[in-house]
Amino acid sequence: QGRKPDCANPVEANIEESEPTLLIKPEDTVLKEPGSSEKTLRTLLRPSDKVSNHYKTTSSEINAVVGAVPSLCYPIYGVPTIRSDIPAPRIRRISDRTNYGEEGNAYSLLHPTIFGQKGVFERDFFKTRSKKEIAEILCNIGVRLSDEEFENVWNLASKKHHRGEVSVETIRNVLDELQHADRIKCKTTM
């Protein structure tokens, strides 16, 4: 009859109802037309019709200000907010799911950079380095500069940062600017 038997009370589970239940109750039938004896089923009301004054959609509850559903009660989807108000910890725990902005997106996972394939990541480019370290890196990658040229590049790169700090990325940018300036000079002299 649509009820599950109560397993805690086996006496009730074995009792069969003696009266048959009707699918259509007498109050569910109405006259087809006023004055006729023909009957038809009455139009059923939707449950929402009875409680339409008290009915709220979830979107209206979420957008409501007073008495709103707390944000913990509905699921969160999408990309988490990047926390720029707090610095990223040096050592992150596995349980720390906070996005500090240093993580890549799906594109960077599918198409890693040439540097990433070699084990050199973005944070390595922006790390502050000494003059000796930068000179070593440039020498190892095959960039040959005289001492005078290197001093010029170092001075230009240190002026880019308010504290005079230099990273591999600032050196790359200065070298690109100088190379671009040389190209422009060559085109204007021709």
Side-chain angles (χ1 to χ4, degrees), residues 60-104:
S60 67
E61 281 195 18
I62 290 169
N63 292 331
V65 178
V66 178
V69 175
S71 61
L72 297 172
C73 295
Y74 54 88
I76 299 169
Y77 301 106
V79 179
T81 305
I82 296 174
R83 294 295 304 264
S84 57
D85 58 333
I86 53 176
R90 284 189 186 178
I91 300 169
R92 284 186 64 174
R93 301 191 188 283
I94 293 172
S95 61
D96 186 5
R97 308 267 308 144
T98 307
N99 185 356
Y100 296 102
E102 81 275 16
E103 298 169 1

Coordinates of all heavy atoms in Angstrom, one line a residue, residues 60-104:
S60 N 16.3 33.4 -5.2 CA 15.8 34.6 -4.4 C 16.3 34.5 -3.0 O 16.6 35.5 -2.3 CB 14.3 34.7 -4.4 OG 13.7 33.6 -3.7
E61 N 16.5 33.3 -2.4 CA 17.0 33.2 -1.1 C 18.5 33.5 -1.0 O 19.0 34.2 -0.1 CB 16.8 31.8 -0.5 CG 15.4 31.5 0.0 CD 15.3 30.3 0.8 OE1 16.4 29.8 1.3 OE2 14.2 29.8 1.0
I62 N 19.2 33.1 -2.1 CA 20.7 33.4 -2.1 C 20.9 34.9 -2.2 O 21.8 35.5 -1.6 CB 21.3 32.6 -3.2 CG1 21.3 31.2 -2.9 CG2 22.8 33.1 -3.5 CD1 21.7 30.3 -4.0
N63 N 20.1 35.6 -3.1 CA 20.2 37.0 -3.3 C 19.6 37.9 -2.2 O 19.8 39.1 -2.1 CB 19.6 37.4 -4.6 CG 20.4 36.8 -5.8 OD1 21.6 36.6 -5.7 ND2 19.8 36.6 -6.9
A64 N 18.8 37.3 -1.3 CA 18.2 38.0 -0.3 C 19.2 38.5 0.7 O 20.2 37.8 1.0 CB 17.1 37.2 0.4
V65 N 19.0 39.6 1.3 CA 20.0 40.2 2.3 C 19.6 39.8 3.7 O 20.5 39.2 4.4 CB 20.0 41.7 2.2 CG1 21.0 42.3 3.2 CG2 20.4 42.1 0.8
V66 N 18.4 40.0 4.1 CA 18.0 39.7 5.5 C 17.5 38.2 5.5 O 16.6 37.9 4.7 CB 16.9 40.7 6.0 CG1 16.5 40.3 7.4 CG2 17.5 42.1 5.9
G67 N 17.9 37.4 6.4 CA 17.5 36.1 6.6 C 17.9 35.2 5.4 O 17.2 34.2 5.1
A68 N 19.0 35.5 4.8 CA 19.4 34.7 3.6 C 20.0 33.4 4.1 O 20.4 33.2 5.3 CB 20.5 35.5 2.8
V69 N 20.1 32.4 3.2 CA 20.8 31.2 3.4 C 22.3 31.4 3.5 O 22.8 32.1 2.7 CB 20.5 30.2 2.3 CG1 21.2 28.9 2.5 CG2 19.0 29.9 2.2
P70 N 22.9 31.0 4.6 CA 24.4 31.2 4.7 C 25.1 30.5 3.6 O 24.7 29.5 3.0 CB 24.7 30.6 6.0 CG 23.6 29.9 6.5 CD 22.4 30.2 5.7
S71 N 26.2 31.1 3.2 CA 27.0 30.6 2.0 C 27.5 29.2 2.2 O 27.8 28.5 1.3 CB 28.1 31.5 1.7 OG 29.0 31.6 2.8
L72 N 27.6 28.7 3.4 CA 28.0 27.4 3.7 C 27.0 26.3 3.3 O 27.3 25.2 3.2 CB 28.4 27.2 5.2 CG 29.5 28.0 5.7 CD1 29.6 27.9 7.2 CD2 30.8 27.6 5.0
C73 N 25.7 26.8 3.1 CA 24.6 25.8 2.9 C 24.4 25.5 1.4 O 23.7 24.6 1.1 CB 23.3 26.4 3.4 SG 23.3 26.6 5.2
Y74 N 25.1 26.3 0.5 CA 24.9 25.9 -0.9 C 26.3 25.6 -1.5 O 27.3 26.2 -1.1 CB 24.1 27.0 -1.7 CG 24.6 28.4 -1.6 CD1 25.6 28.8 -2.5 CD2 24.2 29.2 -0.7 CE1 26.0 30.1 -2.5 CE2 24.6 30.5 -0.6 CZ 25.6 31.0 -1.5 OH 26.0 32.2 -1.5
P75 N 26.3 24.7 -2.5 CA 27.6 24.3 -3.1 C 28.3 25.4 -3.8 O 27.6 26.2 -4.5 CB 27.2 23.1 -4.0 CG 25.8 23.4 -4.3 CD 25.2 24.1 -3.1
I76 N 29.6 25.4 -3.8 CA 30.4 26.4 -4.5 C 31.0 25.8 -5.7 O 31.6 24.7 -5.6 CB 31.5 27.0 -3.6 CG1 30.8 27.6 -2.4 CG2 32.4 27.9 -4.3 CD1 31.7 28.0 -1.3
Y77 N 30.9 26.4 -6.9 CA 31.5 25.9 -8.1 C 32.4 26.9 -8.7 O 32.3 28.1 -8.4 CB 30.4 25.5 -9.1 CG 29.4 24.5 -8.6 CD1 28.1 24.8 -8.2 CD2 29.8 23.2 -8.5 CE1 27.2 23.9 -7.7 CE2 28.9 22.2 -8.1 CZ 27.6 22.6 -7.7 OH 26.8 21.6 -7.2
G78 N 33.2 26.5 -9.7 CA 34.0 27.5 -10.4 C 35.4 27.6 -9.8 O 35.9 26.8 -9.0
V79 N 36.1 28.7 -10.3 CA 37.5 28.9 -9.9 C 37.5 29.7 -8.6 O 36.7 30.7 -8.4 CB 38.2 29.7 -11.0 CG1 39.6 30.0 -10.6 CG2 38.1 29.0 -12.3
P80 N 38.3 29.3 -7.6 CA 38.3 30.0 -6.4 C 38.9 31.4 -6.5 O 39.7 31.6 -7.4 CB 39.2 29.1 -5.4 CG 40.0 28.3 -6.4 CD 39.2 28.1 -7.6
T81 N 38.6 32.3 -5.6 CA 39.1 33.6 -5.7 C 40.6 33.6 -5.4 O 41.1 32.9 -4.5 CB 38.4 34.5 -4.6 OG1 37.0 34.4 -4.8 CG2 38.8 35.9 -4.6
I82 N 41.3 34.5 -6.1 CA 42.8 34.6 -5.8 C 43.0 35.5 -4.6 O 42.5 36.6 -4.6 CB 43.5 35.1 -7.0 CG1 43.4 34.1 -8.2 CG2 45.0 35.4 -6.7 CD1 43.9 34.6 -9.5
R83 N 43.7 35.0 -3.6 CA 43.9 35.7 -2.4 C 45.1 36.6 -2.6 O 46.3 36.1 -2.5 CB 44.1 34.8 -1.2 CG 42.9 34.0 -0.8 CD 41.7 34.9 -0.3 NE 42.1 35.7 0.8 CZ 41.9 35.4 2.1 NH1 41.4 34.3 2.4 NH2 42.3 36.3 3.0
S84 N 44.9 37.9 -2.8 CA 46.1 38.8 -3.0 C 46.3 39.6 -1.7 O 47.3 40.3 -1.6 CB 45.8 39.7 -4.2 OG 44.6 40.4 -4.0
D85 N 45.4 39.5 -0.8 CA 45.5 40.2 0.5 C 46.5 39.6 1.5 O 47.0 40.3 2.4 CB 44.2 40.4 1.1 CG 43.5 39.1 1.4 OD1 43.7 38.1 0.7 OD2 42.7 39.1 2.4
I86 N 46.8 38.3 1.3 CA 47.7 37.6 2.2 C 48.8 37.0 1.4 O 48.6 36.5 0.3 CB 47.0 36.6 3.1 CG1 46.2 35.6 2.2 CG2 46.1 37.2 4.1 CD1 45.6 34.5 3.0
P87 N 50.1 37.0 1.9 CA 51.2 36.4 1.1 C 51.1 34.9 1.1 O 50.6 34.3 2.1 CB 52.4 36.9 1.8 CG 52.0 37.1 3.2 CD 50.5 37.6 3.1
A88 N 51.6 34.3 0.1 CA 51.6 32.8 0.0 C 52.7 32.3 1.0 O 53.8 32.9 1.1 CB 52.0 32.4 -1.4
P89 N 52.4 31.2 1.7 CA 53.4 30.7 2.7 C 54.5 30.1 1.9 O 54.4 29.6 0.8 CB 52.6 29.6 3.4 CG 51.4 29.3 2.6 CD 51.1 30.5 1.7
R90 N 55.7 30.1 2.5 CA 56.9 29.5 1.9 C 56.7 28.0 1.7 O 57.0 27.4 0.6 CB 58.1 29.7 2.8 CG 58.7 31.1 2.7 CD 60.0 31.1 3.4 NE 60.4 32.5 3.4 CZ 61.5 32.9 4.0 NH1 62.3 32.0 4.6 NH2 61.9 34.2 4.0
I91 N 56.2 27.3 2.7 CA 55.9 25.9 2.6 C 54.4 25.7 2.8 O 53.8 26.0 3.8 CB 56.6 25.1 3.7 CG1 58.1 25.3 3.6 CG2 56.3 23.6 3.7 CD1 58.9 24.8 4.8
R92 N 53.8 25.2 1.7 CA 52.3 25.0 1.7 C 52.0 23.6 2.2 O 52.6 22.6 1.8 CB 51.8 25.2 0.3 CG 51.7 26.7 0.0 CD 51.0 26.9 -1.3 NE 49.6 26.5 -1.3 CZ 48.8 26.7 -2.3 NH1 49.2 27.4 -3.3 NH2 47.5 26.4 -2.2
R93 N 51.0 23.5 3.0 CA 50.5 22.2 3.4 C 49.6 21.6 2.4 O 49.0 22.3 1.5 CB 49.7 22.3 4.7 CG 50.6 23.0 5.8 CD 49.9 22.8 7.2 NE 50.5 23.6 8.2 CZ 51.6 23.2 8.8 NH1 52.2 22.1 8.4 NH2 52.2 23.9 9.7
I94 N 49.5 20.3 2.4 CA 48.6 19.6 1.4 C 47.2 20.0 1.5 O 46.4 20.2 0.6 CB 48.8 18.1 1.6 CG1 50.2 17.6 1.2 CG2 47.7 17.3 0.7 CD1 50.5 16.2 1.5
S95 N 46.7 20.3 2.8 CA 45.3 20.6 3.0 C 45.0 22.1 2.7 O 43.9 22.5 2.7 CB 45.0 20.4 4.5 OG 45.8 21.2 5.3
D96 N 46.0 22.9 2.4 CA 45.8 24.3 2.0 C 45.3 24.4 0.6 O 46.1 24.3 -0.3 CB 47.1 25.1 2.2 CG 46.9 26.6 2.0 OD1 45.8 27.1 1.9 OD2 47.9 27.3 2.1
R97 N 44.0 24.7 0.5 CA 43.4 24.8 -0.9 C 43.3 26.3 -1.3 O 42.6 26.5 -2.3 CB 42.0 24.2 -0.8 CG 42.0 22.8 -0.3 CD 42.1 21.7 -1.3 NE 41.1 21.8 -2.3 CZ 41.4 21.5 -3.6 NH1 42.6 21.1 -3.9 NH2 40.5 21.7 -4.5
T98 N 43.9 27.2 -0.6 CA 43.8 28.6 -1.0 C 44.6 28.9 -2.3 O 45.7 28.5 -2.4 CB 44.4 29.5 0.2 OG1 43.7 29.1 1.4 CG2 44.1 30.9 -0.1
N99 N 44.0 29.7 -3.1 CA 44.7 30.1 -4.4 C 45.4 31.4 -4.1 O 44.7 32.4 -3.9 CB 43.6 30.2 -5.5 CG 44.3 30.5 -6.8 OD1 45.5 30.7 -7.0 ND2 43.4 30.6 -7.9
Y100 N 46.7 31.4 -4.1 CA 47.5 32.6 -3.9 C 47.9 33.3 -5.2 O 48.6 34.3 -5.2 CB 48.7 32.3 -3.1 CG 48.4 31.8 -1.7 CD1 48.5 30.4 -1.4 CD2 48.0 32.7 -0.7 CE1 48.2 30.0 -0.1 CE2 47.7 32.2 0.6 CZ 47.8 30.9 0.8 OH 47.5 30.4 2.1
G101 N 47.4 32.7 -6.3 CA 47.7 33.4 -7.6 C 49.0 32.8 -8.3 O 49.3 33.2 -9.4
E102 N 49.7 31.9 -7.7 CA 50.9 31.4 -8.3 C 50.7 30.1 -9.1 O 51.6 29.6 -9.7 CB 52.0 31.2 -7.3 CG 52.0 30.0 -6.5 CD 51.1 30.0 -5.2 OE1 50.2 30.9 -5.1 OE2 51.2 29.1 -4.4
E103 N 49.4 29.6 -9.0 CA 49.1 28.3 -9.7 C 48.7 28.6 -11.2 O 48.1 29.6 -11.5 CB 48.0 27.6 -9.0 CG 48.4 27.3 -7.6 CD 47.2 26.8 -6.8 OE1 46.1 26.7 -7.3 OE2 47.4 26.5 -5.6
G104 N 49.0 27.7 -12.0 CA 48.6 27.8 -13.4 C 47.2 27.4 -13.6 O 46.5 26.8 -12.7

